[in-house]
Amino acid sequence: TAQRLIRQLTTLLGDFAGHPERCLGELALSTAAERHQLLVEWSGAAPLPPLEHTIPELFARQVEQRPDAVAVSLAGQTLTYGDLDRRAGLLAHHLRRLGVGPEVPVGVSLERSIDLIVALVAIAKSGGAYVPLDASHPGERLAFLLAQAGASIVLTREGLRGDLPPVPGPVLCVDNEASLWAGESAAEPAPPLLPDNLAYILYTSGSTGEPKGVAVTHRAVVRLVRDTDYARFGPGEGFLQLAPVT
C-alpha cells in the first residue's frame, strides 16, 4: 500500500510539473499500468447492449412459457405464474380505471405476503410505480412520503388501514375489497411503457434530514437480474424474498 501511494504521489507531482495550468482534479493519479488494470483487466465482461425490456413485458413472457410453474409460495400457499398473472391483471385494470399509468406512483402498505406480490405485479402491469410504506413508521413520515412522491392511491389491508395518514385518493384493501375488481378484464391491453419509466420509488431513512426518494426505472431492475454473472436466476432456482419491501 505504501509503495502504491508513493507511485501515485510521484505520478501526481510529475503530471503537475508537466502541466502546471491544470486544475487538481484534471491531474493523473494512477500510472498507465494501473489504469489498464482498473479499466481493462478488472472491468469484467464487455458491456451488455442496452436493455430495452420492462418488468411487465418479461413477466408476460414467463407466464406464456411456464404458466403452471410456481411463481411465489408462503406458509403452504402457492401461486403459479398463471394464477399470479390473472390476479394481478384484475387489480391492474382497476388501477388503470383510477388513473394509474406510466410515472403515476401508488402507495403500498402490506406486510410480507402473497397479497404484497400480487399488488406489486399489478402496479407494474398497470404501468405505475409503487411506493412502499411501512405501517410501523410514524404517521408524519408516511404522510411526507405520500405527499413528496405524489401518491394519491394506496393499496393496503383492512388491519393496516388505521395506521395510514389521510390519503387524498382511494385506499384499496386487497384482503376484503377484491370484489371491486373481480369483474375486470385481466386481458385488458397495458398502457405503453418504456424501460426508462419508473418502476418504484424507495425512500432513505432520513436520519440526517428529510427522507429522500430514490427513483428506480424498469431498465435498472432488468439490468440487475438479467444476464448476471454474480448469481443464477434460472428456472430451477428459488429466491428468498428476505429484504423488506421498503
Side-chain angles (χ1 to χ4, degrees), residues 133-159:
L133 307 168
D134 189 331
S136 67
H137 287 173
E140 293 82 358
R141 174 185 169 87
L142 299 180
F144 175 85
L145 265 57
L146 288 171
Q148 214 270 345
S152 59
I153 300 174
V154 174
L155 299 180
T156 186
R157 66 175 181 82
E158 190 62 44

Side-chain angles (χ1 to χ4, degrees), residues 90-109:
L90 296 174
L91 178 54
H93 186 51
H94 188 68
L95 290 173
R96 288 187 211 120
R97 284 184 181 274
L98 297 176
V100 177
E103 305 298 303
V104 176
V106 179
V108 178
S109 178

Side-chain angles (χ1 to χ4, degrees), residues 179-206:
S179 60
L180 293 176
W181 50 88
E184 300 282 6
S185 171
E188 184 74 14
L193 196 60
L194 300 174
D196 289 323
N197 283 135
L198 285 179
Y200 57 88
I201 305 172
L202 295 185
Y203 276 84
T204 61
S205 65

Side-chain angles (χ1 to χ4, degrees), residues 72 74 77 79 84 87 91 108 110-122 155-157 173-176:
V72 57
L74 173 69
Q77 291 180 288
L79 280 185
L84 178 55
R87 283 184 55 177
L91 178 54
V108 178
L110 290 166
E111 308 107 323
R112 195 188 317 273
S113 62
I114 286 182
D115 282 338
L116 170 64
I117 302 301
V118 171
L120 300 184
V121 174
L155 299 180
T156 186
R157 66 175 181 82
C173 295
V174 297
D175 55 343
N176 63 6

